[in-house]
Amino acid sequence: MKVIKIKKSSIIKFITLILFLVIVSTLTTSFGMQHYYNLDFTTGLVTASTLNVRSGPGTKYPVIAQVKKNEYIRVFAGVGNWYVVQVEGDYIGAVSKEYVKPIYPNSGGGSSSGNTGSSNNGLTTNLIADEQEVFNLINKQRTNNGLLPLKIDAEAQNVARIKAQDMVNNNYFSHNSPTYGSPFDMLKSFKVSYKTAGENIAGNSSNTAAVNAWMNSSGHKANILNSSFNYTGIGVVNGSKYGKIYVQIFIGK
């Protein structure tokens, strides 16, 4: 009988290939033939005490991860009564939509500005009218001072809107949120990557007056004219004793 010697590295490669094929097969079985539908939000808040993340959209699929109440998950699409999500640890799976609260309505509030574009080319992306005006006013201040205009970053925009709504809902005016912590805690929770970051907040009834107030404050002005920042997100929410709450997130990449 002839004995064939097989290298250990070859065995490991073979086993890895088999595992890869099994995973691909499982995902194809779980999601491949499902009917997806688009959603108008990308972030969800878990409302169940413990939520199972399954390998497919149904209780017959095995649990691959769990998330706790008040944790944030990234939501990609809907499949029946389930959401396709990404959770901590980079697990991709499905969760019951019954236990996920949408917290990022893309339409925002108020009337749409009608401007669309990519967050990578400097054009605005789905801003409401107030946000668009503040964005334009801020960039006018930058270009008047010899700086490049900021670009909208979709993830920073998400955080700015949620922070502004949180300030209205919980009736406070502070950089530190009772819900999300500091601006940097919040950016970390929402998995926003950056090299440098800052935040401006304001309460005012006028977009122009809000930006003028920032420009008359040394700390706020320094953020607006900081050359290390190249992306931003702007949230404007009606409410509070001020009329409107403004949150601008600055990030540098």
Side-chain angles (χ1 to χ4, degrees), residues 210-233:
V211 174
N212 286 342
W214 281 341
M215 290 302 294
N216 288 323
S217 165
S218 59
H220 297 90
K221 181 178 180 180
N223 277 340
I224 292 171
L225 301 183
N226 189 331
S227 60
S228 69
F229 295 145
N230 49 7
Y231 288 91
T232 190

Side-chain angles (χ1 to χ4, degrees), residues 12-46:
I12 293 173
K13 290 179 181 178
F14 178 74
I15 293 173
T16 301
L17 176 61
I18 294 298
L19 288 173
F20 174 76
L21 292 175
V22 169
I23 292 170
V24 170
S25 176
T26 300
L27 289 176
T28 301
T29 301
S30 300
F31 293 102
M33 299 303 293
Q34 300 292 333
H35 177 68
Y36 294 89
Y37 54 88
N38 293 327
L39 302 169
D40 60 353
F41 64 97
T42 58
T43 301
L45 179 68
V46 176

